[in-house]
């Protein structure tokens, strides 16, 4: 069966008043199921509240647009009320309960990427809601709820039946929601647009890597992430993950071309991508990107907490390490051609602008 790596857009799962929840479907993007990867997007309008929930999968959340407030409760811990804004990355381990609220005029949009190998459905997140028409209260009898929380039947019926919304609701403007608390962001959030750059190539590109060093919770999540931004007409050199990790890539902004090469030197993907698209690069496959004039940026997770990449161009590429005689024999070329090949791209950059 031929491998289909074509980028896809998400489909709306639910939402009416207050916002919407979108997800990428394993039926349309088979690599989600094959790689046990989940991908979804939450969009909240002003006063939109994503009701408290927990998931069967660990995730990384990335704020694509807007600002708002998030509530995070780790098992047996107190609630953290966090201000979130564009560029924020948040690691969400198993068992964490979250809610999300937008009190601004601009739509708040959050991307979720994660692993589903312990989930109920391969390639798809399953959320369990604490409240709402599909919340856990609705499944228990009034007797069980009353005895568990020591409540009389009248109160139980109000708790169970008053919220008719499902997943996302619109809160009345007069209701004062919790304000973010100073210090609660520490250890939970890394803003990829403000963090120190791990790679900074002039007129080329910039990278911020999310790992156990700058966000320790990444270790509990079990995979790393990065935000890559390359300038107009720049290239991200061909490379692959050398520790058997999958690369799950969401295009945040701009546009450009992507090529992926797999086993037997076969080009398995050649496409043009733009903001909103998601695609997955299989283990050990080589990927490269070239930005259009407006540049290209993407947010990726790699299914290991501290990923290792091998790049095939630049000073640190494997080609520079191999003996000249080996390259001559491998390419079946003259020493002059081998020397010309080796002498190019002598910097350690992984991003390149076209030569003048």
């Amino acid at each position: 069966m031929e491998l289909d790596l074509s980028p896809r857009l998400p489909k709306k799962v639910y939402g009416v008043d207050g916002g919407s929840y979108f997800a990428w479907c394993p039926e349309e993007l088979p690599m989600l199921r094959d790689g046990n990867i989940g991908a979804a997007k939450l969009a909240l309008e002003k006063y939109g509240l994503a009701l408290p929930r927990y998931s069967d999968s660990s995730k990384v959340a990335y704020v694509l647009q807007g600002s708002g407030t998030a509530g995070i409760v780790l098992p047996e811990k107190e609630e953290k009320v966090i201000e979130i804004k564009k560029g924020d990355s948040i690691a969400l381990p198993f068992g964490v309960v979250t809610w999300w609220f937008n009190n601004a005029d601009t739509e708040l949009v959050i991307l979720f990427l994660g692993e589903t190998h312990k989930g109920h459905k391969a390639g798809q997140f399953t959320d369990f809601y604490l409240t709402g028409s599909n919340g856990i209260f609705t499944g228990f009898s009034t007797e069980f709820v009353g005895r568990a929380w020591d409540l009389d039947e009248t109160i139980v019926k109000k708790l169970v039946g008053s919220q008719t919304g499902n997943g996302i609701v619109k809160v009345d403007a007069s209701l004062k929601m919790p304000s973010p608390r100073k210090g609660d962001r520490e250890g939970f959030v890394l803003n990829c647009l403000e963090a120190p750059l791990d790679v900074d190539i002039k007129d080329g590109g910039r990278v911020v890597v999310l790992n156990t060093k700058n966000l320790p919770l990444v270790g509990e999540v079990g995979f790393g992430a990065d935000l890559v931004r390359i300038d107009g007409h720049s290239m991200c050199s061909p490379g692959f993950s050398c520790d058997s990790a999958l690369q799950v890539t969401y295009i945040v902004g701009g546009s450009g071309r992507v090529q992926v090469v797999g086993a037997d030197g076969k080009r398995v993907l050649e496409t043009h991508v733009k903001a909103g698209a998601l695609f997955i690069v299989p283990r050990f496959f080589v990927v490269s990107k070239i930005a259009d004039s407006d540049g290209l940026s993407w947010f990726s997770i790699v299914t290991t907490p501290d990923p290792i990449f091998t790049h095939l161009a630049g000073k640190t590429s494997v080609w520079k390490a191999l003996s000249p005689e080996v390259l001559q024999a491998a390419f079946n070329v003259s020493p002059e051609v081998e020397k010309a090949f080796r002498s190019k791209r002598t910097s350690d950059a992984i991003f390149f602008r076209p030569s003048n």
Side-chain angles (χ1 to χ4, degrees):
M1 190 170 102
E2 190 161 337
L3 196 62
D4 183 7
L5 303 181
S6 302
R8 303 290 185 186
L9 298 174
K11 287 192 172 182
K12 183 176 178 179
V13 179
Y14 65 82
V16 181
D17 196 20
S20 300
Y21 181 84
F22 303 83
W24 280 265
C25 177
E27 286 71 31
E28 292 190 356
L29 190 57
M31 278 298 298
L32 290 173
R33 185 189 302 106
D34 297 343
N36 265 309
I37 299 295
K41 204 158 60 166
L42 175 67
L44 294 177
E45 302 169 1
K46 187 173 185 179
Y47 302 128
L49 171 67
L51 295 173
R53 71 204 56 200
Y54 61 93
S55 176
D56 65 350
S57 305
S58 56
K59 308 173 185 175
V60 168
Y62 180 74
V63 181
L64 296 167
Q65 174 184 303
S67 61
T69 307
I72 300 175
V73 183
L74 293 173
E76 307 299 324
K77 301 290 185 181
E78 293 184 356
E79 179 187 54
K80 299 289 186 180
V81 182
I82 297 170
E83 179 185 9
I84 57 174
K85 59 183 179 179
K86 181 178 179 180
D88 279 350
S89 291
I90 308 164
L92 303 173
F94 284 109
V96 66
V97 172
T98 63
W99 55 264
W100 312 84
F101 179 65
N102 182 16
N103 60 352
D105 293 329
T106 303
E107 187 178 47
L108 173 62
V109 183
I110 305 167
L111 173 72
F112 298 95
L113 300 176
E115 287 189 324
T116 64
H117 65 281
K118 292 184 180 180
H120 287 266
K121 301 176 183 178
Q124 187 175 334
F125 298 137
T126 299
D127 288 334
F128 295 83
Y129 301 91
L130 301 190
T131 65
S133 62
N134 59 345
I136 59 172
F137 273 155
T138 62
F140 285 107
S141 66
T142 54
E143 178 194 0
F144 271 62
V145 175
R147 293 185 64 175
W149 285 274
D150 192 22
L151 299 170
D152 63 48
E153 187 175 356
T154 302
I155 298 297
V156 170
K157 288 182 177 179
K158 287 182 179 179
L159 279 174
V160 173
S162 296
Q163 180 54 268
T164 58
N166 174 4
I168 298 171
V169 299
K170 192 166 188 176
V171 175
D172 190 279
S174 63
L175 179 63
K176 183 173 175 57
M177 294 293 287
S179 298
R181 293 193 287 262
K182 187 177 180 180
D184 278 4
R185 279 176 62 95
E186 186 175 349
F188 282 85
V189 182
L190 178 74
N191 189 280
C192 294
L193 300 178
E194 299 173 354
L197 297 172
D198 293 279
V199 177
D200 185 9
I201 307 300
K202 184 179 179 181
D203 296 325
R206 292 149 295 283
V207 181
V208 170
V209 179
L210 192 70
N211 54 34
T212 54
K213 296 178 182 178
N214 52 23
L215 196 61
L217 273 176
V218 166
E220 295 187 36
V221 169
F223 50 85
D226 59 26
L227 176 70
V228 182
R229 293 168 285 167
I230 61 176
D231 299 326
H233 304 297
S234 291
M235 178 186 201
C236 181
S237 71
F240 64 93
S241 170
C242 55
D243 50 5
S244 76
L246 292 166
Q247 299 178 59
V248 186
T249 299
Y250 175 87
I251 304 301
V252 174
S255 59
R257 291 177 290 150
V258 177
Q259 289 187 355
V260 177
V261 176
D264 299 320
K266 182 179 180 182
R267 189 184 308 153
V268 293
L269 179 66
E270 182 169 14
T271 190
H272 186 268
V273 294
K274 58 183 180 180
L278 181 137
F279 65 96
I280 300 174
V281 179
R283 294 176 176 89
F284 302 111
F285 281 38
V286 181
V287 60
S288 185
K289 309 175 186 74
I290 297 178
D292 290 338
S293 59
D294 54 347
L296 182 65
S297 61
W298 60 91
F299 185 81
S300 298
I301 65 167
V302 182
T303 54
T304 181
D306 295 296
I308 302 172
F309 288 97
T310 292
H311 288 274
L312 301 179
K315 183 179 180 180
T316 58
S317 80
V318 65
W319 301 120
K320 302 293 185 183
L322 289 171
S323 303
E325 296 80 8
V326 172
L327 289 184
Q328 290 173 38
F331 282 116
N332 191 25
V333 295
S334 67
E336 291 75 22
V337 172
E338 187 280 330
K339 185 177 181 180
F341 174 68
R342 183 183 293 275
S343 66
K344 296 292 186 180
R345 301 300 186 203
T346 56
S347 74
D348 59 0
I350 60 172
F351 306 121
F352 307 116
R353 293 294 296 271
S355 302
N356 295 325

